[in-house]
Amino acid sequence: MSQAVILLVEDDRALARRITGAIETRILGSHLLNVTSGEEAVHWVGANECNVCLLDYDLPGIDGLETLARIHQRKPNLPVIMISSAASEQVAVAAFRARVSDYVAKQPGFEQTVAQLVQ
């Protein structure tokens, strides 16, 4: 891969645009693909290569933790950064136990934190 390929799993289109904008500002030449469900993400990861996956916890269908488990079955070494609006330490702890690379709460300015982690 000559350019960074980033998979964003986020069903909120407005948030996806904000995250994409923050990443594109920091990482020139990156290719960011947005899918809107865990099932789509698992299928895409199984058929493609990427450098990092940004994964929302709250998704239609299977949630972020189940998506993370299925992604790691296919690509065990793929870095995954989970983003979540869940105001629960239990979700963060469960994510780290499931081998997430990092966890970012959806708070004001979180897009910049995500972009910095990806960089």
Side-chain angles (χ1 to χ4, degrees):
M1 285 178 282
S2 60
Q3 63 181 354
V5 177
I6 302 159
L7 177 63
L8 172 60
V9 188
E10 172 60 68
D11 64 320
D12 182 319
R13 295 287 184 191
L15 278 179
R17 281 192 299 274
R18 288 176 25 208
I19 294 166
T20 299
I23 290 171
E24 288 176 346
T25 299
R26 278 188 177 264
I27 307 169
L28 299 175
S30 63
H31 175 71
L32 199 141
L33 174 75
N34 178 221
V35 298
T36 58
S37 73
E39 290 89 351
E40 283 181 277
V42 171
H43 177 72
W44 191 90
V45 165
N48 300 279
E49 294 294 325
C50 64
N51 299 92
V52 65
C53 176
L54 307 174
L55 176 61
D56 188 14
Y57 171 73
D58 298 308
L59 294 169
I62 61 173
D63 69 16
L65 292 175
E66 179 63 27
T67 301
L68 176 64
R70 292 182 188 187
I71 285 173
H72 277 158
Q73 287 174 346
R74 287 157 180 76
K75 302 278 171 68
N77 297 319
L78 177 65
V80 177
I81 299 169
M82 185 168 286
I83 54 177
S84 176
S85 59
S88 166
E89 281 186 32
Q90 292 174 327
V91 172
V93 168
F96 280 110
R97 285 186 177 153
R99 298 182 301 117
V100 74
S101 299
D102 218 321
Y103 181 92
V104 178
K106 289 183 183 176
Q107 298 176 346
F110 83 95
E111 306 90 344
Q112 297 304 319
T113 302
V114 169
Q116 185 177 11
L117 288 169
V118 170
Q119 188 178 27

